[in-house]
Amino acid sequence: MAESSDVPAMRWWGWGDSARHSPLPAHVVSLLRDTVGVSDPPRPPVALERVRLERSTLGEASVAELRAIVGPEGVRDDHYQRVLHAAGKGYPDLVRLRAGEPEGAPDAVVLPNDHAQVRAVLALCARASLAVVPFGGGTSVVGGLAPLRGEHGAVVALDMRRMARMVELDGESRTVTVQAGMRAPALERFLASRALTLGHFPQSFEYVSLGGCAATRSAGQASSGYGAIERMVLGLRLAAPSGEMDLPAVPATAAGPGLRQLLVGSEGTLGVITELALRVRPAPRVRVYEGVFFESFDAGMQALRSLAQQDAAPDVARLSDEQETRTSLALAGSGGLKGGLGRLYLGMRGYRDRGVLAILGFEGAPEQVAGRRRRALELVRRGGGLAVGRSPGEAWLRGRFDAPYLRDELLTHGVMAETLETATSWSNLKRLHDRVGRAIAEALQACGTPGLVMCHVSHLYETGASLYFTFLAARRAEDEIGQWRDVKEAASRAICTGGGTITHHHAVGRDHAPWMRAEVGSTGLAALRALKSELDPAGIMNPGKLMAPSGRD
Amino acid sequence: MAESSDVPAMRWWGWGDSARHSPLPAHVVSLLRDTVGVSDPPRPPVALERVRLERSTLGEASVAELRAIVGPEGVRDDHYQRVLHAAGKGYPDLVRLRAGEPEGAPDAVVLPNDHAQVRAVLALCARASLAVVPFGGGTSVVGGLAPLRGEHGAVVALDMRRMARMVELDGESRTVTVQAGMRAPALERFLASRALTLGHFPQSFEYVSLGGCAATRSAGQASSGYGAIERMVLGLRLAAPSGEMDLPAVPATAAGPGLRQLLVGSEGTLGVITELALRVRPAPRVRVYEGVFFESFDAGMQALRSLAQQDAAPDVARLSDEQETRTSLALAGSGGLKGGLGRLYLGMRGYRDRGVLAILGFEGAPEQVAGRRRRALELVRRGGGLAVGRSPGEAWLRGRFDAPYLRDELLTHGVMAETLETATSWSNLKRLHDRVGRAIAEALQACGTPGLVMCHVSHLYETGASLYFTFLAARRAEDEIGQWRDVKEAASRAICTGGGTITHHHAVGRDHAPWMRAEVGSTGLAALRALKSELDPAGIMNPGKLMAPSGRD
C-alpha cells in the first residue's frame, strides 16, 4: 500500500485507520439500550480470511495485458485487495462486509500511473468487455463503488491512488491543478505551506480523492462559505473509452453548454477524471466556531435564511432539529464524548426538550470575519437566538470527521446508523423536513424497529438549504438489508414527492439511480444515456450507477 | 406588434427604438475623420421596401397547420416581419441589412402562446422538415439568429414574445419563475415593485428576453457582483423535438451531471427554453459608481485582481486600457457626449497618453456597500490608483446601454465598429490582451484600413477576468464582410492559441462555431452532437449554430 500514497489504509470492514479505536462510552451504550436497543453481546466483523469471494474471472491474458500497461505491481488480485475494493462505505456495504458476505468483488484492482495508462486500460477493457469501476478514496455511501459487471465478463477496480501528483499551482490566478487521485488532506497540506486552502471538507475528508469529489459533485461542511466542489472546479481532463476531453481552467465561458458541469457529477459512468483544476483561496487566518441556541427549529431556520440572504452566511452552518439537539446533548451528557457540549448541556438542562442548537463557523481574514460575524450575530439575536460561546463550536470542529468511526461502533452494538440528505427551497424546507422525518420514522416502525430520527439544516444558499437526516434503530436480525431498503425507499419517495432533490451531496451511485427519472425526467435520462453511448459505447464504465439501465428505472 | 409585449420594436436595420435618434456630435465626426476616416456623404440604410428577400418557401399546408396550433395571428409572413427576423445585431448582420441584402429571412415568424404550443410547433416542424430558429429579444451579435435552414426545406423564426408572463414569485426563497419570452426590463419592473432585482444587465438589457439570456449563457455588466446568468438559473423547462425536460428550481443538487448547466448555453440547438426559475436579490438601496485612475493598465489589472481576490469586488468593474481611456476621454472631450467624462478629461489632460480609467460600481444595502467600498478603495490606493469621484461613474451608468446606438451612427459615417470578448486567468490576462489586440490591429492594417483597437477588463472572478475589445476602422468599400471576417479570424485565432475562451458572454452562434473544436476538443464536440441527436433527431433546431456540422469544424 506504500505506492505514492500517505493515506493509511481503510479498515476493510468499516471506516478509517485500523490503528484508531474509539469504543462507545458506557453512558452512550446505556442511552442506546434505553432508546433503540442494543445487541448483547456485541457483533464484531468476521475475520478477513472468512470473507467469501468468488474466484476472479479475469483471464490470464487480460491480466498480462493490464500488467503490460500499468506494470507488474499495478495489477492486484489478492484476497485483501479485492476485499478492500469490494464496496464503498454505505450502510449496506458495511453490513455485508462485516458479515463476510460482500455482493461481489472486483476481479482485479488496477493502479494506473498517468492519463495515458488510464486511456490504455479503458481501451483494453472496452475491447475485452471488462467493466471498470473508478476508485478514488473508496468512501461512497450510495453504492457508487459496487463491483457490478453489467453485461461484461469481469470487472476491475481502477484505483487512482498512484495518480496523486501536483501538476501546477498558479498562485496569481488562485488555481491549482492536480491529478485526480490526490487526496484532500495531501492537497490541503501542500496549500497550507503556501498560506492557501481549497476549503473542501466533506465528512469523508481524511480519505477522499479530489477526482472523486468532482465525480460525485461533493459538498464540504464549509460549503456555505467556500462553495461546493462544482463551484471550485475550473477545468477537467477526462479519459473516456471513446476519446478524451480536456477542458482547460477558465474563470468563465459562454462557449455553449457547460461541459465542465457535465463531467462534475458523472460518477465514473462517462469516463475517468484524471486531472482537475480547482480554485483555491487564502488560508483563513482566523477561525471562530461557536454555538447558538434557538427556541425552536422554525426560529433557527428563519435565522439561517436571514444569514444566507443578508450577506452574513458563516462558512459552516448547521442547525440541528429538536431530536438531533436532544440526542447530541445526551451523548455529550456526562462529559465523556465532547467536553464542550457536556458543559453546555449542564447549562441548558431546562431547555432540552424544545430548544435547538446551531453551530456557526467563520473563517477568513480577521477584519472580514469580524464584520461578517457581527452582522450574523445581530441577525441571530433578532431571530431570538442566543449565542452560547465557542465550546460547542470547537467541540464540533474537533469531532467533524468522527461520525463514520462512531457508526462502526454502533454497528458492532447492533445499531443501524444511516444518513441521507436532500436540498430544497427555504419556503419548502420545514415541510420537507417534517415529511421525510415522518416517512423514516414510520418505515422504521413498520419494520418493528422504532428509531431515533434526527436532522440538521446545513449548506446554506440564498435560495434554500440542505437537510441531513441521521437515524438510529436496532438492526433487524436476519434481514438487515431489507430493513435498510424499506426505510431508504420510504425516505426517497418522500423526498421526490415532497419537492426535494434526491441528493444534495452524497451523489446518485446505485442507491439513488432508481430515482433519477423522478429527478430529471425521462428526457433528461435519455440525454444522459445518449452522452454515455457516445463516450462509452461498450458500456464498461461503472455499470448500474447513476442511470439505471434503460427500462429499469 | 402589440401582443403582450411592451418593448418598442427594434429598428429593422439597426439597434433600438426607431423613435430615438442620437446623431454623432461634430467633434466626434472630426475625431473619426482624423483617425480612421469617415465616408462623405454618410451612408444611411436603404428603405425597408428595397430589402431583397426570396419568396417564402413555406407551403400553404404548413402555414395552415402552424395557424391551427398558434392561432391565425400567430403566423406572420409579411415583408416587415420577415425582415425583422432576418438577422441578429452583429456587425455583418447590420452591414447586410442596411444594404438591403440580408443573407436570407425566415419563411415565416411563428408566435407561440405557451409551452404546449411550442411542443406542437416543434413536432410539426420535425415532421415537415422545417428548421426552427428560436427568437427572443433578437439581440445576438454572433449570428445566433441567422435564418439558416440546414438540410430542411424552409425555416421559421419562433418568436417568444407572447410567452412573457410571470409564473411565480417565491419571495421567501428569493426565486422567480418566468416564461422565457419575458424581457429583462419587464422583469426588473415587476421585481422593483417588490424591492427585488435580478441584477442582470447586459448591454442589450433593453431588449433581451430571459430565455435568450439563459440560452446564450449571458453575463451582465454587474456580473462581478450578481454573477452571470449561469449563477442565477435554478431551474429550466425545455421543449425539445424528442420530448421535454423539466428541471425544477433547486438550490443545489448532486444528482448526476449538471443538466441545468447543459441547457444554459444550448443556444436553441437542443430545444426551446420555455420557462426558467431565477435567483433574485434585494434591490440595492445604495448605488455608488465612481472613477478610478491608474498610472498604467498593468497597475489597474493588479488592483482589480486584488479586489476580486480580497472580498472587495465591486458589482461593476471595468478597466479601460490606454487606448480605450484615451478614446473615451477624447469622445467626451468637448463635453458633448458625456459631461462627467468631459470634466474629467479637462482635469487629466496631462495624463492622457499613459493613464487608464476604471469604473467601479457598488450596489446594495448601505452598510454593506460602505464596508466593501472602503476595502476596495484602500486596495486601489495601495495599487497606486487615484479615486477621481463619481462623475465618470455616473456618466458610465447613464450611457451603459448606448453603445449599440452609437454603432449605428458610426456605420452611417462609414466606420466599422465591432466588439469581441474572451476571458482568461489573471496570470495570462495581460499577455492575452496584448496578443489579441495586436492580432486585430495587424489584421485591420492588412485590410488597408488601420484602426483604433481598444479593450477593457470586466467581469471579475477570483481566478481571472474578461477582456472586451472594441475596434473602429473605415469600412472597406465593396468587401465589408470580407474585411470583418479577416479581422474576426485573426482575433479568434489569437484567443484560441493564447489561452482564452472563444467567448465569455457573447455566446457561440454561427461566428464562433468553427472554434468550438479548439474550445472543447473533438470528444467534447462529439458529446454535444450526441446530445443534439437525442433531443433533436431531425436536426431542425437552429442549424449551423454552436456546433458546426460534423466534419466542417
Side-chain angles (χ1 to χ4, degrees):
Chain A
M1 206 58 60
E3 60 277 272
S4 67
S5 166
D6 49 2
V7 185
M10 280 267 228
R11 281 187 180 100
W12 62 265
W13 54 267
W15 188 263
D17 183 353
S18 51
R20 178 167 157 184
H21 190 53
S22 6
L24 292 186
H27 81 281
V28 173
V29 177
S30 158
L31 174 80
L32 292 168
R33 184 171 287 119
D34 295 347
T35 49
V36 299
V38 298
S39 67
D40 225 353
R43 299 165 57 186
V46 301
L48 174 61
E49 57 275 18
R50 286 195 45 215
V51 177
R52 276 194 289 261
L53 299 187
E54 303 275 332
R55 187 187 290 266
S56 170
T57 62
L58 197 62
E60 277 186 27
S62 291
V63 172
E65 284 190 89
L66 287 167
R67 290 217 158 104
I69 297 167
V70 296
E73 293 301 303
V75 182
R76 308 286 190 86
D77 57 2
D78 56 278
H79 183 75
Y80 175 57
Q81 285 296 331
R82 290 181 66 210
V83 170
L84 261 187
H85 293 82
K89 301 297 179 185
Y91 177 75
D93 296 331
L94 301 190
V95 165
R96 291 184 178 116
L97 283 170
R98 293 171 63 103
E101 290 170 349
E103 285 184 291
D107 295 291
V109 180
V110 180
L111 299 107
N113 284 292
D114 57 32
H115 178 85
Q117 289 187 1
V118 174
R119 290 217 54 198
V121 168
L122 298 188
L124 165 62
C125 291
R127 214 162 54 233
S129 190
L130 307 176
V132 177
V133 179
F135 199 101
T139 66
S140 172
V141 291
V142 292
L145 300 170
L148 305 179
R149 58 195 68 199
E151 313 296 312
H152 305 284
V155 55
V156 301
L158 194 77
D159 188 318
M160 300 292 286
R161 70 175 56 226
R162 284 179 169 177
M163 291 177 61
R165 289 181 286 279
M166 174 64 44
V167 178
E168 191 194 357
L169 174 68
D170 176 353
E172 189 178 351
S173 310
R174 295 265 173 88
T175 301
V176 67
T177 305
V178 299
Q179 285 187 319
M182 177 175 269
R183 307 297 176 108
L187 177 59
E188 285 294 349
R189 280 194 302 274
F190 171 85
L191 292 174
S193 70
R194 282 141 182 95
L196 295 169
T197 183
L198 178 63
H200 189 67
F201 302 104
Q203 196 173 65
S204 52
F205 173 76
E206 296 168 338
Y207 288 87
V208 285
S209 71
L210 293 158
C213 289
T216 57
R217 205 171 267 279
S218 161
Q221 292 166 341
S223 83
S224 301
Y226 292 93
I229 199 82
E230 68 191 72
R231 294 288 164 107
M232 299 173 180
V233 171
L234 301 170
L236 288 157
R237 194 168 187 202
L238 181 86
S242 77
E244 68 176 64
M245 230 187 281
D246 199 347
L247 303 169
V250 288
T253 171
L259 289 175
R260 289 167 184 79
Q261 288 299 323
L262 196 69
L263 302 187
V264 173
S266 58
E267 301 192 13
T269 63
L270 304 178
V272 181
I273 296 170
T274 59
E275 205 173 287
L276 62 168
L278 297 157
R279 174 257 280 157
V280 296
R281 287 198 173 153
R285 285 186 284 140
V286 175
R287 283 187 171 186
V288 182
Y289 280 72
E290 61 202 307
V292 173
F293 201 72
F294 292 98
E295 282 193 338
S296 69
F297 189 50
D298 266 326
M301 280 191 290
Q302 292 303 324
L304 256 53
R305 177 167 74 89
S306 72
L307 300 187
Q309 293 182 344
Q310 291 180 50
D311 199 37
D315 297 284
V316 169
R318 294 166 59 95
L319 169 73
S320 295
D321 66 4
E322 290 85 352
Q323 183 66 63
E324 186 169 289
T325 300
R326 216 149 49 214
T327 307
S328 306
L329 294 180
L331 288 177
S334 56
L337 203 60
K338 289 170 184 169
L341 275 179
R343 283 191 296 279
L344 176 69
Y345 171 71
L346 295 175
M348 288 200 168
R349 226 174 251 283
Y351 299 85
R352 62 190 289 208
D353 286 332
R354 45 192 184 88
V356 299
L357 180 67
I359 303 297
L360 307 182
F362 301 87
E363 305 194 343
E367 194 207 359
Q368 199 272 347
V369 165
R372 189 156 44 109
R373 183 166 169 257
R374 183 173 40 73
R375 292 195 301 279
L377 293 183
E378 172 58 27
L379 290 167
V380 163
R381 260 190 302 277
R382 276 194 237 159
L386 176 70
V388 293
R390 301 201 183 184
S391 52
E394 283 160 13
W396 177 83
L397 199 54
R398 276 194 304 277
R400 67 194 294 189
F401 306 132
D402 288 352
Y405 293 94
L406 177 61
R407 180 178 55 162
D408 283 339
E409 295 299 321
L410 292 168
L411 265 89
T412 296
H413 285 83
V415 176
M416 170 192 205
E418 175 62 319
T419 63
L420 53 87
E421 35 77 66
T422 179
T424 192
S425 61
W426 288 111
S427 62
N428 191 45
L429 200 64
K430 180 59 166 52
R431 197 161 43 232
L432 187 63
H433 167 271
D434 294 351
R435 186 182 183 124
V436 176
R438 200 179 322 115
I440 296 170
E442 289 174 2
L444 286 170
Q445 186 81 42
C447 289
T449 53
L452 281 181
V453 183
M454 308 173 263
C455 182
H456 60 255
V457 174
S458 53
H459 307 281
L460 312 187
Y461 302 86
E462 292 167 77
T463 60
S466 166
L467 291 169
Y468 191 92
F469 291 89
T470 302
F471 52 94
L472 304 178
R475 292 169 64 180
R476 185 163 71 182
E478 307 307 315
D479 187 22
E480 295 164 302
I481 300 297
Q483 174 193 29
W484 171 82
R485 195 176 285 125
D486 287 354
V487 183
K488 183 74 182 170
E489 161 94 16
S492 299
R493 189 174 307 282
I495 286 170
C496 287
T497 58
T501 175
I502 192 62
T503 174
H504 170 266
H505 60 272
H506 280 173
V508 179
R510 179 170 60 172
D511 298 349
H512 296 140
W515 303 94
M516 279 297 279
R517 185 181 295 277
E519 185 79 21
V520 303
S522 52
T523 304
L525 260 184
L528 292 177
R529 287 191 182 120
L531 267 168
K532 181 168 173 68
S533 295
E534 175 63 33
L535 296 174
D536 173 29
I540 58 169
M541 297 307 309
N542 218 1
K545 320 297 164 52
L546 184 54
M547 306 159 248
S550 202
R552 285 185 46 199
D553 40 53
Chain B
M1 207 57 59
E3 61 277 90
S4 68
S5 167
D6 50 1
V7 186
M10 280 268 229
R11 284 185 179 102
W12 63 264
W13 53 267
W15 187 262
D17 183 355
S18 52
R20 177 167 160 186
H21 190 54
S22 8
L24 292 186
H27 80 279
V28 172
V29 177
S30 158
L31 175 79
L32 291 168
R33 183 171 289 119
D34 295 347
T35 50
V36 298
V38 298
S39 67
D40 224 352
R43 300 164 56 185
V46 302
L48 174 62
E49 58 275 15
R50 285 194 45 213
V51 177
R52 277 193 288 259
L53 299 187
E54 302 277 330
R55 185 187 291 266
S56 170
T57 61
L58 196 63
E60 278 187 26
S62 291
V63 171
E65 284 190 272
L66 287 167
R67 291 218 156 104
I69 297 168
V70 296
E73 294 301 303
V75 182
R76 309 287 191 82
D77 58 3
D78 55 278
H79 183 76
Y80 175 57
Q81 286 296 331
R82 290 182 65 211
V83 171
L84 261 187
H85 293 82
K89 302 296 181 187
Y91 177 76
D93 297 331
L94 301 189
V95 165
R96 291 183 177 116
L97 283 168
R98 294 170 64 105
E101 290 170 351
E103 285 184 289
D107 295 291
V109 180
V110 181
L111 300 106
N113 284 291
D114 56 33
H115 178 84
Q117 288 187 1
V118 174
R119 291 217 52 199
V121 168
L122 298 189
L124 166 62
C125 290
R127 214 161 54 234
S129 189
L130 307 176
V132 177
V133 179
F135 198 101
T139 64
S140 171
V141 291
V142 290
L145 300 168
L148 306 179
R149 58 195 69 200
E151 313 295 311
H152 306 284
V155 55
V156 300
L158 194 79
D159 189 318
M160 299 292 286
R161 69 175 57 225
R162 283 178 169 177
M163 292 179 60
R165 289 181 287 278
M166 173 65 43
V167 178
E168 191 195 357
L169 175 67
D170 177 352
E172 190 178 349
S173 310
R174 297 265 174 88
T175 302
V176 66
T177 306
V178 299
Q179 287 187 317
M182 178 176 267
R183 307 298 176 108
L187 176 59
E188 285 294 349
R189 281 193 301 275
F190 171 86
L191 292 173
S193 70
R194 283 142 182 93
L196 294 169
T197 184
L198 177 64
H200 189 67
F201 302 104
Q203 195 173 66
S204 52
F205 173 75
E206 295 168 337
Y207 288 87
V208 284
S209 70
L210 294 158
C213 289
T216 57
R217 205 171 268 274
S218 160
Q221 292 166 341
S223 83
S224 301
Y226 291 93
I229 200 82
E230 67 192 72
R231 293 286 164 108
M232 300 175 180
V233 171
L234 302 169
L236 289 157
R237 196 169 186 202
L238 181 85
S242 75
E244 66 176 63
M245 232 189 278
D246 200 346
L247 302 170
V250 287
T253 172
L259 289 175
R260 288 166 185 80
Q261 287 300 324
L262 197 69
L263 302 187
V264 172
S266 57
E267 301 193 15
T269 62
L270 304 178
V272 181
I273 296 170
T274 60
E275 207 174 286
L276 61 167
L278 297 157
R279 174 255 282 160
V280 296
R281 288 196 172 156
R285 287 186 283 139
V286 175
R287 282 187 172 184
V288 182
Y289 279 74
E290 60 202 307
V292 172
F293 200 74
F294 293 98
E295 282 192 338
S296 69
F297 189 48
D298 266 326
M301 281 191 290
Q302 292 302 325
L304 256 54
R305 178 168 75 89
S306 71
L307 300 186
Q309 294 182 343
Q310 292 180 50
D311 198 37
D315 297 284
V316 170
R318 293 165 60 92
L319 169 73
S320 295
D321 66 4
E322 290 85 351
Q323 182 66 63
E324 186 170 288
T325 300
R326 217 149 47 212
T327 307
S328 305
L329 295 178
L331 288 176
S334 57
L337 204 59
K338 290 172 183 167
L341 276 179
R343 283 191 295 279
L344 176 69
Y345 170 72
L346 295 174
M348 291 201 166
R349 226 173 250 281
Y351 299 84
R352 64 190 292 203
D353 286 331
R354 47 193 183 87
V356 299
L357 180 66
I359 303 296
L360 307 182
F362 300 88
E363 305 195 344
E367 194 206 359
Q368 198 272 346
V369 165
R372 188 158 43 112
R373 183 166 169 257
R374 183 173 39 74
R375 291 195 301 279
L377 293 183
E378 173 58 27
L379 290 168
V380 163
R381 258 190 303 276
R382 275 194 238 160
L386 175 70
V388 293
R390 300 199 183 185
S391 53
E394 284 159 12
W396 178 82
L397 200 54
R398 276 193 304 279
R400 67 194 292 188
F401 306 131
D402 288 353
Y405 294 93
L406 177 62
R407 180 179 54 161
D408 284 340
E409 294 299 321
L410 292 170
L411 265 86
T412 297
H413 285 83
V415 176
M416 170 192 206
E418 174 63 315
T419 63
L420 54 87
E421 34 78 66
T422 180
T424 193
S425 61
W426 287 112
S427 62
N428 190 44
L429 200 65
K430 180 58 164 55
R431 197 160 42 230
L432 187 63
H433 167 271
D434 294 350
R435 186 182 181 123
V436 177
R438 198 179 324 118
I440 296 170
E442 289 173 359
L444 286 169
Q445 186 83 42
C447 289
T449 53
L452 282 181
V453 184
M454 307 172 264
C455 182
H456 60 255
V457 174
S458 52
H459 308 280
L460 312 187
Y461 302 86
E462 291 167 78
T463 59
S466 165
L467 291 169
Y468 191 93
F469 291 87
T470 302
F471 52 92
L472 305 178
R475 292 170 64 181
R476 185 165 69 183
E478 307 308 314
D479 187 22
E480 295 164 304
I481 299 297
Q483 175 191 28
W484 170 82
R485 194 175 288 126
D486 286 353
V487 182
K488 182 76 180 168
E489 162 96 15
S492 299
R493 187 172 309 280
I495 287 171
C496 287
T497 57
T501 174
I502 191 64
T503 173
H504 170 266
H505 60 272
H506 281 175
V508 179
R510 180 171 59 172
D511 298 349
H512 295 139
W515 303 94
M516 279 297 277
R517 183 180 296 276
E519 185 79 23
V520 303
S522 52
T523 304
L525 260 184
L528 292 177
R529 288 190 181 120
L531 265 169
K532 181 168 173 70
S533 293
E534 175 62 34
L535 296 173
D536 174 27
I540 59 170
M541 297 307 307
N542 217 4
K545 319 296 163 52
L546 184 53
M547 306 160 247
S550 203
R552 284 185 48 200
D553 41 52

